[in-house]
């Protein structure tokens, strides 16, 4: 900060001393001599002048306190405007803003670390499920098929039913492994991965998905792509679990400096504050790691929109 701040002590003392001095001068020039109305009038003017001057000095402090109370780590970016003459309050506000910068940067870094650790763990689990459990179940299915072919006709239906159950389990293990690790994202990129996701969920649930996925996206980092994919996944899961919709729309738009994902459902709509579940909270935390913003909005004609805006310049 350039100019030396005027200490708060002087900013309070000088107006008070001025008001008292002026009152004294007035009394010397025109003594009240027991005239009550003149004394009451003078006192009222003094108190009013004092109130205005002190209020001017402490208003920035009140604003600072209000913002300090409002700061929400899940909605970063809010800062105290450094208005008015340089004073202890503006220095305090500046220090507070700097502290918020540091805290937000730290939160973003630790979020990013947690995100990559979580993703690494998911990949490991997915690989183990696919390679170990999946392989063993596939072998068991083949063995059962061979067994079914050699069993007497009266037990063959049971053996075949057992093989079908094992096949279904293999499919389920594959599905879980796929959800744990978005392979398509690694192999094909964001748009095909979102297409795969919506097609697969559409087949599983019978829901109608409408896609509008821009292909000419600005270049996103792998973290940015992963956050978009995971937010879409959770928003779709929420729509299925809570909204009972007819249609879910997934929109990916490229604007000048940002990429926007919207998942809109036409279901029963979201009621009240919605930050309590782990799903929405995790979406917000993921968004923070890449400097994106996440909004969960009720739609005007019912249903819910989840909107993620990823600033490409931040990535
Ligand atoms: N698309 C939606 N339509 C209607 N209500 C919704 C929708 N998405 C979320 N909600 C409401 O918001 C709440 C919080 O959602 P959130 O994803 O955080 O938690 P959850 O889905 O209940 O549990 P989980 O931690 O497994 O995700 C839900 O319990 C639900 O009541
Ligand atoms: Mg959820």
């Amino acid at each position: 900060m350039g100019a030396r701040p005027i200490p708060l002590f002087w900013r309070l003392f000088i107006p008070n001393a001025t008001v008292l001095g002026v009152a004294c001068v007035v009394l010397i020039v025109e003594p009240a001599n027991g005239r009550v109305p003149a004394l009451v009038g003078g006192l009222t003017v003094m108190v009013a002048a004092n109130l205005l001057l002190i209020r001017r000095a402490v208003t920035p402090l009140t604003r600072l306190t209000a913002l300090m109370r409002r700061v929400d780590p899940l909605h970063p970016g809010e800062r105290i405007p450094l208005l008015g003459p340089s004073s202890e309050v503006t220095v305090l506000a500046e220090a507070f803003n700097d502290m918020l910068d540091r805290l937000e940067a730290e939160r973003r870094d630790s979020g990013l670390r947690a995100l990559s650790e979580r993703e690494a763990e998911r990949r490991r689990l997915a690989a183990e499920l696919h390679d170990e459990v999946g392989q063993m179940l596939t072998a068991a299915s083949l063995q059962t098929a061979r067994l079914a072919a050699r069993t007497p006709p009266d037990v063959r239906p049971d053996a075949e039913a057992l093989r079908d159950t094992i096949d279904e389990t293999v499919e389920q293990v594959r599905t879980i492994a796929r959800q744990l690790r978005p392979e398509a994202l690694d192999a094909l990129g964001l748009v095909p991965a979102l297409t795969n996701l919506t097609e697969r969920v559409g087949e599983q649930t019978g829901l109608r998905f409408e896609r509008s996925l821009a292909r000419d996206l600005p270049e996103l980092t792998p973290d940015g792509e992963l956050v978009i994919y995971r937010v879409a996944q959770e928003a779709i899961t929420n729509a299925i679990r809570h909204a009972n919709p007819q249609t879910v729309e997934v929109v990916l738009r490229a604007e000048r400096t940002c990429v926007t994902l919207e998942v809109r459902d036409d279901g029963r709509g979201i009621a009240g504050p919605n930050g309590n579940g782990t799903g929405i909270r995790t979406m917000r935390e993921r968004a923070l790691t890449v400097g994106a913003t996440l909004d969960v909005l009720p739609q005007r004609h019912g249903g819910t929109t989840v909107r993620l805006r990823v600033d490409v310049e931040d990535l």
Side-chain angles (χ1 to χ4, degrees):
M1 176 159 279
R4 246 173 95 87
I6 304 168
L8 188 61
F9 170 77
W10 290 112
R11 283 160 56 76
L12 290 174
F13 177 76
I14 292 171
N16 263 306
T18 313
V19 169
L20 281 173
V22 170
C24 272
V25 171
V26 170
L27 280 176
I28 291 166
V29 174
E30 181 105 16
N33 283 343
R35 282 177 291 157
V36 174
L39 277 174
V40 171
L43 189 68
T44 311
V45 171
M46 262 174 63
V47 170
N50 213 334
L51 183 91
L52 286 178
L53 292 168
I54 292 180
R55 200 163 63 186
R56 263 195 66 192
V58 298
T59 297
L61 202 56
T62 320
R63 272 211 303 266
L64 177 66
T65 321
L67 186 94
M68 282 173 160
R69 285 194 206 287
R70 246 196 351 257
V71 165
D72 176 358
L74 285 179
H75 293 93
E78 209 174 353
R79 294 289 182 274
I80 300 168
L82 300 173
L83 302 172
S86 174
S87 68
E88 273 138 334
V89 178
T90 49
V91 172
L92 192 62
E94 206 179 38
F96 183 69
N97 285 349
D98 288 348
M99 189 186 74
L100 285 182
D101 286 345
R102 287 196 303 277
L103 284 179
E104 282 173 14
E106 169 51 30
R107 192 186 166 108
R108 203 174 137 148
D109 289 351
S110 55
L112 211 49
R113 270 198 306 277
L115 182 74
S116 36
E117 277 161 22
R118 209 180 310 165
E119 289 302 328
E121 184 64 13
R122 281 169 163 251
R123 272 165 216 265
R124 196 183 60 75
L125 272 175
E128 259 165 43
L129 267 181
H130 185 270
D131 298 348
E132 303 290 330
V133 184
Q135 295 297 331
M136 287 178 82
L137 282 174
T138 309
S141 165
L142 288 175
Q143 280 165 351
T144 320
R146 274 207 302 272
L147 195 67
R150 283 190 283 127
T151 47
D154 55 329
V155 268
R156 190 166 300 161
D158 288 341
E160 281 170 354
L162 179 63
R163 186 205 53 205
D164 291 347
T165 310
I166 296 174
D167 285 348
E168 271 171 40
T169 316
V170 171
E171 252 335 288
Q172 278 172 8
V173 167
R174 287 222 176 99
T175 306
I176 295 171
R178 261 201 303 269
Q179 281 164 357
L180 281 170
R181 179 188 171 173
E183 276 169 11
L185 190 59
D186 295 340
L188 309 168
L190 181 61
V191 171
L194 286 176
T195 310
N196 273 9
L197 174 71
T198 45
E199 277 175 358
R200 182 161 37 85
V201 179
E203 274 166 28
Q204 285 164 355
T205 58
L207 257 182
R208 203 156 71 90
F209 276 88
E210 284 177 7
R211 284 178 293 270
S212 166
L213 307 173
R215 298 208 163 246
D216 52 347
L217 294 176
E219 200 165 325
L220 292 157
T221 60
D223 287 333
E225 290 195 337
L226 188 62
V227 168
I228 295 176
Y229 183 87
R230 290 290 189 209
V231 166
Q233 212 174 19
E234 171 63 18
I236 290 170
T237 307
N238 272 354
I240 295 166
R241 277 180 63 194
H242 308 295
N244 190 23
Q246 303 281 318
T247 310
V248 178
E249 245 183 294
V250 180
V251 179
L252 193 64
R253 294 195 286 278
E255 282 151 56
R256 260 185 315 144
T257 55
C258 77
V259 173
T260 305
L261 166 82
E262 278 189 6
V263 177
R264 307 182 198 133
D265 69 64
D266 57 359
R268 71 167 62 97
I270 193 157
N274 47 50
N276 298 336
T278 315
I280 292 178
R281 199 186 158 81
T282 307
M283 285 200 276
R284 282 198 202 291
E285 284 174 354
R286 283 185 186 280
L288 281 184
T289 60
V290 291
T293 53
L294 183 106
D295 295 297
V296 182
L297 311 158
Q299 294 206 64
R300 209 177 306 149
H301 306 295
T304 306
T305 297
V306 174
R307 182 183 302 139
L308 175 79
R309 289 170 68 92
V310 186
D311 211 327
V312 177
E313 282 169 359
D314 273 358
L315 290 180

